[in-house]
């Protein structure tokens, strides 16, 4: 019995050591990226002006430019992993992507499973609709069909605020939300102001305008937890490129408005 007990203890110690080693090995994602000479970055290409494809079917947008600049400074090749709002976290957690750069808003719920860098940008979430829709307050949403991306920030922001009688219609991504508002399938949509502006410009006959401002929310680069080396490198990179104005320039050119002051989120 004593021999069996000693063996069990030794086996447990070995298993614990293997588990710790595996955790440490997994935690050094930065070293893995450099060894691979390629970084896999998840980007939503259905969320202009952050991510989209142009007429030549090439990816572009502020998140695409940010990812390209990051990969260049890291000294590795960039591979874009196309995602939608709902599958950003699954792709990250299953190792299909090393990080997420997809206007990924920081929330307490996401922080339970995902680590975030400091913010590199911010979105103003709004309710937008055609000019003819009489929406001046949240109460005016009662009886309206309002589109959101299922499980995304606009869903979590609007759902608890919407008055009784609001028909919140959930879609899988920003592209289908945009199609719904343009086709008249819904009366309004909750989205970042930058996307509302882009949809308005692309569809001038629809006279889409911002009706309500819901909240300003910072977004950051998402990565798996316990990747301290990668998180530090990314935070340092963001700090440098906020200070030198590169990230603000990327934002301005793609979004069409000045970058929000990220200092307001420093303590959050």
């Amino acid at each position: 019995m004593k021999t069996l007990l000693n063996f069990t203890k030794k086996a447990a110690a070995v298993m614990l050591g293997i588990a710790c080693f595996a955790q440490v090995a997994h935690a050094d994602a930065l070293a893995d990226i450099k060894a691979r000479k390629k970084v896999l970055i998840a980007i939503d290409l259905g969320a202009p002006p952050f991510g989209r494809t142009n007429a030549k079917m090439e990816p572009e947008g502020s998140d695409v430019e940010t990812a390209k600049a990051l990969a260049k400074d890291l000294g590795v090749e960039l591979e874009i992993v196309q995602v939608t709002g709902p599958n950003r976290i699954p792709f990250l957690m299953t190792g299909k992507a090393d990080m997420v750069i997809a206007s990924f808003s920081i929330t307490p719920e996401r922080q339970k499973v995902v680590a975030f860098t400091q913010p590199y940008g911010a979105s103003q979430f709004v309710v937008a609709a055609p000019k003819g829709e009489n929406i001046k307050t949240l109460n005016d949403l009662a009886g309206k069909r309002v589109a959101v991306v299922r499980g995304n920030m606009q869903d979590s922001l609007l759902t608890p605020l919407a008055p009784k009688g609001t028909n919140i219609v959930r879609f899988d991504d920003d592209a289908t939300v945009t199609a719904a508002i343009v086709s008249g399938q819904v009366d309004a949509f909750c989205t970042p102001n930058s996307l509302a502006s882009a949809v308005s410009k692309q569809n001038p006959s629809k006279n889409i305008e911002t009706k309500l401002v819901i909240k300003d929310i910072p977004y950051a680069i998402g990565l798996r937890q316990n990747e301290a080396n990668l998180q530090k490198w990314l935070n340092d990179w963001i700090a440098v490129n906020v200070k030198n104005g590169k990230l603000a320039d990327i934002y301005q050119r793609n979004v069409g408005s000045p970058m929000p002051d990220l200092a307001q989120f420093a303590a959050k």
Side-chain angles (χ1 to χ4, degrees), residues 158-171:
L158 183 64
T159 298
L161 296 176
K164 185 178 180 180
T166 304
N167 182 9
I168 297 180
V169 186
R170 295 174 174 85
F171 295 89

Side-chain angles (χ1 to χ4, degrees), residues 53-201:
T53 52
N54 60 25
K56 297 180 180 179
M57 298 306 295
E58 298 168 333
E60 62 180 23
S62 61
D63 282 336
V64 174
E65 286 195 40
T66 299
K68 287 180 177 179
L70 188 154
K72 180 179 179 181
D73 291 343
L74 190 53
V76 297
E77 178 187 349
L78 168 64
E79 180 175 322
I80 293 176
V81 179
Q82 189 168 348
V83 293
T84 62
N87 68 20
R88 289 175 296 188
I89 292 178
F91 270 54
L92 176 66
M93 301 309 292
T94 56
K96 293 180 180 178
D98 298 312
M99 63 189 74
V100 177
I101 299 181
S103 55
F104 202 21
S105 303
I106 305 168
T107 69
E109 293 76 18
R110 289 172 179 168
Q111 287 177 313
K112 293 176 182 177
V113 293
V114 174
F116 285 96
T117 61
Q118 67 184 55
Y120 70 93
S123 293
Q124 183 179 73
F125 283 82
V126 303
V127 171
K131 189 174 182 179
E133 291 290 342
N134 183 24
I135 300 174
K136 296 179 180 179
T137 69
L138 283 169
N139 288 335
D140 294 328
L141 297 180
K144 303 287 187 182
R145 298 162 299 169
V146 185
V148 299
V149 176
R150 180 183 293 107
N152 213 338
M153 175 56 67
Q154 49 264 55
D155 191 354
S156 61
L157 283 175
L158 183 64
T159 298
L161 296 176
K164 185 178 180 180
T166 304
N167 182 9
I168 297 180
V169 186
R170 295 174 174 85
F171 295 89
D172 288 335
D173 52 36
D174 287 301
T176 50
V177 166
T178 299
I181 189 70
V182 171
S183 66
Q185 184 180 348
V186 295
D187 304 307
F189 64 131
C190 184
T191 188
N193 188 45
S194 54
L195 180 55
S197 297
V199 173
S200 179
K201 289 178 182 178

